[in-house]
């Protein structure tokens, strides 16, 4: 999914709250909801004309709600501009909202025609506008709507979705049934979580935003959910003090790397160094020491023993455990020793799988599960995790404390204060082995550089995704390796030296 540059805000509104806020904002500014609808239609019309100036026959699909009302406004603007329009409308037994009815009547008064949804689609249709379902969707689209969605997706003409692609749930990004595959989505007033996580990246296309003139009112409101992208890195990663030394930037101990998994612990260690950790000590199996030291001599690598672990926990500022740890006695004993540490900690991979077996709650710990690990931690299915990723992250925090990082497309970061972050960085190239190990190293390094656990998790995820985005822009997503990130990561975590692109 692409964004329309600087027009995308960093605040995100829960979908149910936004419906109430829209009326409150309109009333406070003396604007009617119908006026907002006309502004929404104009905003979407402008996007359509900008990106498809040669399109001469638009097919507009309208539902019975306000999303359909936006469609009627666009249709009226299009015929006024000399564009041929075919408008298909779904009928409903329930009366339409007042402003949607007003938009419908304005379309008819302008000479527009409303066709039944089973009408034949003109052969020369070269743009489709999706105004079927809005942000109130709570279940899979009904059969008649699903048929229209399927037909639109099969048509060669590009689709512009109004507010949200029909079939995508505004709060969760879940797609319980058929969903529009949009080339562009024009969302109105504020961002909704479902546009940035779950299945959003598969269906939203290029995302555009228009506040419809409510910018000042929105700026005065507080929301618990925020969007974080590469443009925010400078606030967490200021230039270093010229006289600083390695001890000022965090002493990190990383525990893991059972038989056959030296690569995992090595990647975590090197990622921590590339993210600015001052000193990194790795505790692992004795046979892993030569290959790790050979690959990255700056790492201090020792055999994991009860003595070395106890001494390292005393030495370290931050502890990370899990990459390559395994779930056998060797890993279990290490985790039992680490779990009572009061220093900032990060648990990943097999540390999470062991935690799922023996749950406990800690306030000094960051957990970084992928959906499968999250499902084990919450004793549910992966489908349940993915059906509401924000709620799943909140449940992890409630049960285990600290900070939870639910990885995936649109990573969610939650903390005990109630703050929620959606990471708007990263790409499909990151769907390869070792990426999680690298992320653990980055977040742990930032913890050692005095960021709070929540900020370290947010900044680490953004830096991780931004480093991958730089690679994808140069080489594409296929074939990206976790260790490829080390070079671009070094550039990303120095935002004072080079501007980080916010695609």
């Amino acid at each position: 999914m692409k964004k329309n540059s600087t027009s995308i805000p960093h605040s995100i509104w829960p979908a149910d709250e936004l419906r109430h806020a829209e009326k409150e904002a309109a009333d406070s500014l003396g604007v009617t909801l119908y006026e907002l609808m006309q502004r929404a239609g104009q905003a979407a019309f402008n996007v359509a004309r900008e990106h498809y100036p040669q399109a001469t026959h638009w097919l507009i699909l309208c539902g019975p709600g306000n999303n359909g009302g936006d469609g009627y406004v666009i249709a009226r603007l299009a015929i006024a501009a000399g564009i041929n329009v075919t408008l298909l409308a779904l009928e409903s037994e329930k009366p339409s909202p007042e402003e949607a009815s007003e938009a419908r009547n304005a379309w008819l008064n302008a000479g527009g025609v409303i066709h039944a949804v089973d009408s034949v689609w003109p052969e020369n249709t070269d743009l489709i506008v999706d105004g079927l379902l809005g942000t109130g969707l709570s279940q899979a689209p009904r059969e008649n709507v699903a048929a229209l969605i399927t037909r639109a997706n099969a048509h060669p003409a590009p689709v512009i979705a109004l507010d949200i692609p029909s079939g995508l749930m505004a709060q969760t990004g879940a797609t319980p049934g058929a969903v529009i595959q949009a080339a562009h989505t024009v969302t109105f007033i504020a961002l909704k979580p479902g546009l940035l996580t779950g299945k959003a990246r598969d269906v939203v296309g290029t995302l555009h935003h228009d506040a419809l003139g409510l910018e000042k009112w929105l700026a005065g409101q507080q929301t618990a959910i925020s969007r974080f992208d590469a443009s925010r890195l400078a606030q967490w990663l200021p230039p270093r003090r010229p006289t600083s030394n390695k001890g000022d930037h965090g002493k990190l101990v990383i525990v893991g790397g059972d038989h056959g998994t030296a690569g995992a612990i090595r990647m975590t260690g090197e990622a921590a160094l590339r993210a600015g950790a001052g000193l990194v000590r790795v505790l692992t199996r004795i046979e892993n020491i030569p290959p790790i030291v050979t690959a990255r001599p700056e790492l201090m690598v020792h055999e994991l023993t009860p003595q070395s672990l106890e001494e390292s926990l005393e030495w370290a500022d931050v502890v990370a455990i899990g990459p390559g740890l395994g779930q056998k006695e060797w890993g279990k004993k290490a985790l039992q020793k680490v779990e009572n540490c009061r220093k900032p900690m990060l648990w990943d991979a097999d540390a999470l799988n062991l935690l799922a077996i023996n749950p406990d709650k800690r306030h000094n710990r960051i957990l970084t599960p992928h959906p499968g690990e999250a499902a084990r931690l919450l004793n549910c299915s992966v489908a349940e995790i993915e059906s509401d990723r924000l709620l799943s992250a909140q449940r992890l925090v409630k049960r285990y404390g600290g900070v939870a990082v639910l990885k995936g497309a649109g990573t969610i970061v939650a903390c005990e204060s109630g703050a929620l972050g959606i990471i708007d960085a990263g790409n499909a190239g990151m769907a390869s082995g070792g990426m999680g190990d690298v992320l653990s190293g980055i977040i742990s390094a930032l913890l050692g550089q005095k960021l709070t656990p929540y900020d370290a998790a947010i900044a680490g995820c953004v830096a991780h995704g931004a480093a991958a985005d730089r690679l994808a822009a140069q080489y594409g997503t296929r074939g990206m390796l976790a260790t490829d990130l080390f070079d671009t990561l070094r550039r990303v975590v120095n935002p004072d030296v080079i501007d980080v692109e916010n695609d």
Side-chain angles (χ1 to χ4, degrees):
M1 181 181 69
K2 297 179 181 178
K3 277 79 63 182
N4 187 19
S5 64
T6 57
S7 69
I8 306 301
H10 286 101
S11 60
I12 301 171
W13 281 69
D16 55 347
E17 290 184 19
L18 187 57
R19 285 188 283 276
H20 302 297
E22 179 179 0
K23 187 171 190 323
E24 185 180 338
D27 289 345
S28 70
L29 297 173
V31 179
T32 66
L33 292 178
Y34 182 57
E35 172 61 26
L36 290 183
M37 181 173 284
Q38 292 184 85
R39 293 179 186 181
Q42 184 70 61
F45 176 78
N46 293 344
V47 169
R49 290 295 271 169
E50 177 186 354
H51 291 276
Y52 302 104
Q54 305 305 317
T56 59
H57 197 131
W58 297 8
L59 177 72
I60 300 180
L61 307 175
C62 292
N66 282 339
N67 202 240
D70 297 336
Y72 286 115
V73 174
I74 294 171
R76 184 162 46 84
L77 292 169
I79 60 168
I83 297 166
N84 292 318
V85 172
T86 299
L87 187 148
L88 276 59
L90 283 165
E91 300 298 332
S92 174
E93 296 176 358
K94 298 179 182 178
S96 294
E98 182 181 340
E99 50 273 17
S101 296
E102 198 169 346
R104 183 179 187 273
N105 291 334
W107 163 247
L108 293 173
N109 291 337
V113 177
I114 298 174
H115 298 274
V117 293
D118 57 358
S119 300
V120 175
W121 290 18
E123 290 185 8
N124 60 344
T125 295
D126 46 13
L127 182 67
I128 298 172
V129 176
D130 163 35
L132 290 170
L133 302 172
T135 60
L137 181 71
S138 60
Q139 59 187 358
R142 294 180 179 178
E143 188 176 344
N144 59 339
V145 183
L148 281 173
I149 290 172
T150 300
R151 190 171 180 186
N153 290 340
H155 198 282
V159 179
I160 292 181
L162 306 181
D163 211 13
I164 193 165
S166 293
L168 180 67
M169 299 184 78
Q171 180 61 25
T172 65
T175 53
V179 59
I180 282 286
Q181 304 275 336
H184 294 265
T185 297
V186 189
T187 201
F188 309 122
I189 302 179
L191 288 186
K192 298 84 182 170
L195 290 167
L196 297 169
T197 193
K199 297 295 184 183
R201 294 189 183 196
D202 284 344
V203 301
V204 167
T206 300
L207 180 61
H208 308 260
H209 167 261
D210 196 299
L212 308 185
L214 305 181
E215 291 87 350
K216 287 185 179 179
W217 185 90
L218 290 166
Q221 310 302 309
Q222 297 248 325
T223 62
I225 314 173
S226 298
R227 180 181 73 92
F228 293 98
D229 62 12
S231 70
R232 309 285 289 272
L233 284 171
Q235 76 184 54
W236 299 299
L237 301 170
R240 285 186 167 177
R241 182 168 47 85
T243 58
S244 64
N245 62 70
K246 60 190 176 186
D248 295 331
H249 303 303
K251 294 180 289 185
L252 170 63
V253 63
I254 305 171
V255 183
D258 200 355
H259 298 299
T261 58
I265 202 72
R266 177 248 159 149
M267 285 188 285
T268 302
E270 182 163 352
L273 290 172
R274 289 299 188 192
L279 293 166
V280 179
R281 182 181 294 185
V282 174
L283 301 183
T284 187
R285 288 285 189 181
I286 192 168
E287 66 265 29
N288 292 339
I289 296 175
I292 293 175
V293 172
T294 301
R296 182 48 59 206
E298 294 86 351
L299 292 170
M300 301 178 290
V301 192
H302 304 272
E303 182 184 7
L304 173 61
T305 65
Q307 294 75 24
S308 68
L309 181 54
E310 185 172 352
E311 191 275 327
S312 294
L313 292 177
E314 179 67 27
W315 168 84
D317 299 315
V318 175
V319 180
I321 186 166
L325 184 69
Q327 298 181 51
K328 297 179 181 177
E329 201 62 25
W330 183 81
K332 287 180 181 178
K333 286 183 177 179
L335 190 63
Q336 286 167 2
K337 182 70 175 176
V338 167
E339 65 184 1
N340 293 317
C341 179
R342 300 197 174 195
K343 295 177 179 180
M345 296 189 292
L346 179 141
W347 290 26
D348 186 29
D350 282 319
L352 301 176
N353 294 325
L354 291 170
L355 178 61
I357 298 168
N358 294 297
D360 68 7
K361 194 169 187 176
R362 307 278 176 201
H363 305 293
N364 61 326
R365 180 174 59 192
I366 299 174
L367 306 180
T368 58
H370 57 57
E373 291 160 343
R376 289 189 282 278
L377 287 165
L378 294 175
N379 193 28
C380 66
S381 67
V382 172
E384 287 177 88
I385 295 292
E386 293 289 76
S387 70
D388 193 334
R389 290 170 51 79
L390 279 85
L391 179 62
S392 296
Q394 291 172 309
R395 289 179 61 204
L396 286 166
V397 167
K398 184 176 180 180
R399 184 166 186 179
Y400 293 99
V403 174
V405 176
L406 179 55
K407 296 183 287 196
T411 290
I412 307 295
V413 182
C415 71
E416 292 179 277
S417 72
L420 278 170
I422 301 181
I423 307 303
D424 195 12
N427 58 76
M430 302 172 79
S432 62
M435 286 289 177
D437 302 317
V438 169
L439 178 62
S440 292
I442 298 170
I443 295 174
S444 300
L446 298 181
L447 267 178
Q449 293 169 71
K450 307 299 189 294
L451 271 70
T452 67
Y454 181 71
D455 283 352
I458 291 282
C461 290
V462 170
H464 188 232
D469 287 342
R470 283 184 173 274
L471 280 173
Q474 188 172 1
Y475 301 111
T477 58
R478 188 172 285 110
M480 186 186 297
L481 303 181
T483 52
D484 291 341
L485 268 61
F486 292 149
D487 183 52
T488 51
L489 174 63
R490 183 182 177 189
R491 300 172 76 181
V492 162
V493 297
N494 289 287
D496 55 307
V497 174
I498 186 165
D499 289 330
V500 180
E501 285 186 21
N502 175 23
D503 290 339

